[in-house]
Amino acid sequence: MSIIEILSTEKYISGNEISKFLGVSRVAVHKQINEFKKMGYAIGSSSKGYILIKNGKLLFNEYEIKTNLRKQLDICKTIKYYEEITSTQTAVKKLAEKGFGEGIIVVAEKQTKGYGRIKRMWNSNAGGLWFSMLLKPVISPDESSKLSLLLSIALKRIFEKEYGIGSEIKWPNDILIFGKKVAGIIIEMSAEQDAINWIVAGIGININNSLPKNLENISISLKTVLKKEIDRAEFMAAFLTEFENLYFDFQKNGFIQFLEEYNNKIAYKGMFVTIDSGYDVITGKNFGIDENGKLILELDNKLEKIVSGTLRKAEK
Ligand code: BTN
């Protein structure tokens, strides 16, 4: 527990109580309080002790995320926050290679080398929500792609439940609001023939970040949609709680239970789309996904199943 979590009750707590709680000296408490003040926290002190003053500032760091989580999650045992990092994805992959277990999350204010699917550069200015999670699901490697479908469902639910916004899922895992990309997901895995060693799931959400001119036509941020700054710690805690439930339910009962929900929100349903596999581009009618997460396309009056590729709305 951190001092911020202890003070989150917004009542006076004496330095003595804090030092007993944390098992550190009064001097150490005083030092930590000063560190938190430097991070932007308004902490008042009087003869009654210390008090956290909520001054309406939306701070974002690991303490804020933990304070917003109402219970300890198995997918989020440790959170590490960085002001700047090359890529949270690269950082978590390194930890995975070192043998760390499920439940580590790295989150950053800014990424200098953020990347997306097919190693595309991912714009990661300050203000967005950029994080990666280390997962070790007990599923076969060929089921791993369903995890990205689940992550999209969790995101779609949060936009709807917490912010009252409808969104669509562009197969396999882009989230669109008003037809523009608000979030992207990447899944990277290390596996043996029939067992997964680890999965690193990276999630990038345009929350309060401003988008460069060249992305304005195709991307959107939540701040633009809601016309106000969003509390990222609150968003992230809600998302992690939602995903934790889906994740364990999926491992127990499979993906089929989520199929209808996914297909109800799939973008460009019944419309002509192109799929770019990197080798060729095919055009067909989008019939949604099957129980294995494959996209069903109607091509020359025949139904075909597509495993991967980049989907775009066909030009006509
Ligand atoms: C995509 O749409 O292609 C996926 C984008 C994933 C971006 C996130 S941001 C956090 C994590 N770190 C990265 O470098 N990439 C992912």
Side-chain angles (χ1 to χ4, degrees):
M1 210 177 225
S2 72
I3 289 185
I4 295 306
E5 285 163 88
I6 296 172
L7 292 177
S8 66
T9 53
E10 290 176 76
K11 288 192 191 104
Y12 274 103
I13 304 185
S14 74
N16 219 1
E17 276 175 283
I18 299 176
S19 84
K20 271 198 205 140
F21 211 89
L22 296 177
V24 299
S25 70
R26 290 282 305 272
V27 177
V29 169
H30 189 71
K31 232 172 119 187
Q32 282 190 38
I33 294 272
N34 282 340
E35 289 300 317
F36 281 114
K37 281 185 180 166
K38 276 191 215 143
M39 287 167 73
Y41 286 98
I43 300 172
S45 55
S46 78
S47 56
K48 288 184 274 179
Y50 296 103
I51 190 163
L52 183 65
I53 304 155
K54 292 264 161 101
N55 56 5
K57 264 204 221 158
L58 294 178
L59 297 174
F60 183 58
N61 55 47
E62 62 209 62
Y63 309 102
E64 288 299 305
I65 300 163
K66 279 193 212 144
T67 308
N68 275 279
L69 280 172
R70 283 186 206 111
K71 56 174 188 170
Q72 165 83 51
L73 302 179
D74 289 330
I75 57 159
C76 177
K77 296 185 190 102
T78 315
I79 305 185
K80 190 91 193 88
Y81 168 85
Y82 292 89
E83 276 292 327
E84 185 176 301
I85 198 167
T86 50
S87 155
T88 59
Q89 198 67 9
T90 313
V92 176
K93 281 198 292 183
K94 277 191 191 143
L95 296 175
E97 289 293 1
K98 283 189 186 155
F100 280 83
E102 175 162 277
I104 292 181
I105 295 185
V106 173
V107 55
E109 180 66 50
K110 229 197 266 175
Q111 298 183 115
T112 51
K113 285 195 179 130
Y115 62 90
R117 292 194 324 120
I118 27 186
K119 294 279 176 211
R120 279 192 199 127
M121 175 243 177
W122 180 262
N123 180 74
S124 320
N125 293 337
L129 183 48
W130 327 123
F131 65 98
S132 300
M133 318 192 260
L134 176 54
L135 302 171
K136 300 203 171 176
V138 189
I139 54 172
S140 76
D142 50 299
E143 285 203 293
S144 62
S145 61
K146 291 179 189 161
L147 271 184
S148 62
L149 308 178
L150 282 187
L151 287 161
S152 340
I153 292 179
L155 277 174
K156 177 222 52 132
R157 284 189 186 174
I158 295 306
F159 285 125
E160 208 165 283
K161 272 206 294 209
E162 305 290 329
Y163 302 92
I165 307 169
S167 60
E168 289 180 307
I169 307 169
K170 184 170 85 67
W171 181 83
N173 49 23
D174 285 351
I175 309 295
L176 311 180
I177 295 181
F178 302 144
K180 293 181 175 181
K181 183 159 168 171
V182 68
I185 293 159
I186 182 170
I187 294 277
E188 292 177 278
M189 169 171 83
S190 150
E192 308 298 320
Q193 190 143 30
D194 49 11
I196 291 175
N197 298 326
W198 51 256
I199 284 184
V200 176
I203 293 124
I205 312 160
N206 297 319
I207 301 243
N208 298 322
N209 53 310
S210 47
L211 293 159
K213 274 263 169 290
N214 63 322
L215 291 182
E216 269 176 2
N217 279 341
I218 51 170
S219 303
I220 198 161
S221 71
L222 195 53
K223 178 181 164 181
T224 305
V225 177
L226 293 175
K227 299 187 176 64
K228 62 173 188 194
E229 289 271 325
I230 308 302
D231 186 338
R232 285 172 290 166
E234 208 172 272
F235 186 107
M236 187 163 166
F239 168 78
L240 292 174
T241 309
E242 189 74 41
F243 180 63
E244 163 122 340
N245 290 335
L246 287 175
Y247 177 65
F248 289 107
D249 203 1
F250 160 63
Q251 288 179 67
K252 219 165 132 203
N253 303 313
F255 179 72
I256 191 98
Q257 56 182 321
F258 304 111
L259 183 62
E260 193 181 334
E261 183 175 359
Y262 187 97
N263 274 331
N264 278 341
K265 289 291 171 188
I266 197 164
Y268 316 130
K269 193 155 177 204
M271 294 164 79
F272 282 94
V273 294
T274 62
I275 305 289
D276 184 345
S277 67
Y279 301 103
D280 62 354
V281 180
I282 54 171
T283 305
K285 205 174 190 184
N286 176 1
F287 273 76
I289 60 165
D290 71 1
E291 68 283 6
N292 294 313
K294 292 181 185 159
L295 187 76
I296 309 167
L297 267 199
E298 189 188 60
L299 294 163
D300 306 324
N301 292 322
K302 273 202 319 246
L303 293 182
E304 293 237 354
K305 295 197 172 174
I306 313 294
V307 183
S308 66
T310 303
L311 180 147
R312 292 186 188 91
K313 194 169 141 197
E315 288 294 328
K316 263 248 156 185

